[in-house]
Amino acid sequence: MTTTPDLVLWVVLPYACLAVFVVGHYWRYRYDKFGWTTLSSQLYESRLLRWGSPLFHFGILAVLLGHVMGLGIPKSWTEAVGVSEGVYHVLAVGVGAVAGFCTLVGMAILIYRRRTVGPVFSATTRMDKVMYLALAVVILLGIANTVGGNIIDHYDYREGLSVWFRGIFRLDLHPEIMAGAPFTFQAHAVTAFLLFALWPFTRLVHVFSAPIGYLWRPYVPYRSREDRLGQRRGGRGWERVGENRRR
């Protein structure tokens, strides 16, 4: 039997967070176009950024692709193309654990950089702190589920959580499925949707403004200023002022 808390957590909350996600992005783009940016701090420090940023971004991209495959593609589809359940779980644990670890290490470097580099810390907003906290909780719970759900508890999320997740987009949710899921999977789902609700009000909006046009933009030529034959080389500004005074 489905209880009221289950309906709130597994029916009302997902749709409410997705509504805030969509409407919030529209509002942000409509009224805060100049704030639609990553607020880049590369000019302040680049050594730590050079390590932390690729680890975080490529790691989170791999995590996202893994979620698309694990939650969006039914088990019957992967089995139909020859990927057995055993092979899938080996890939899920191996690739998922490595991607999650890289994401976590990259975010730790970025947080350390933001806390220890003065100008970067001064440019850190309250929403940045909330965003990092939410991301850390979601990533840690995801790693716990990857290891625990596949090795320790053997919870088959493709028969549980994935069915519930796909039902969100078919308007056919089954809250009783999530009510019977392990606590870490429940917490991961709740915090992930809360992160979606927080998304439009943080610098994460830059995900939807990748400069794709740069791929086709023509090169801008730069030429050095070469002295012509017989032309007198111009001196520095103060030297030219002194010459004019002597004249």
Side-chain angles (χ1 to χ4, degrees), residues 196-239:
F196 280 127
L198 181 69
W199 195 303
F201 312 104
T202 67
R203 67 178 66 202
L204 292 175
V205 294
H206 77 276
V207 172
F208 303 105
S209 56
I212 303 299
Y214 284 138
L215 298 175
W216 297 276
R217 192 179 68 171
Y219 291 107
V220 179
Y222 288 90
R223 297 183 177 89
S224 61
R225 183 178 177 179
E226 299 178 355
D227 296 333
R228 296 179 181 177
L229 184 62
Q231 182 182 14
R232 182 179 179 182
R233 183 179 180 86
R236 295 183 175 87
W238 59 84
E239 294 176 350

Side-chain angles (χ1 to χ4, degrees), residues 47-66:
R47 182 176 62 86
L48 292 173
L49 187 66
R50 189 180 302 116
W51 287 98
S53 184
L55 280 172
F56 176 78
H57 286 92
F58 286 110
I60 203 71
L61 180 60
V63 169
L64 177 61
L65 293 176

Side-chain angles (χ1 to χ4, degrees), residues 6 44 167 193 198:
D6 291 336
Y44 300 138
F193 274 106
L198 181 69

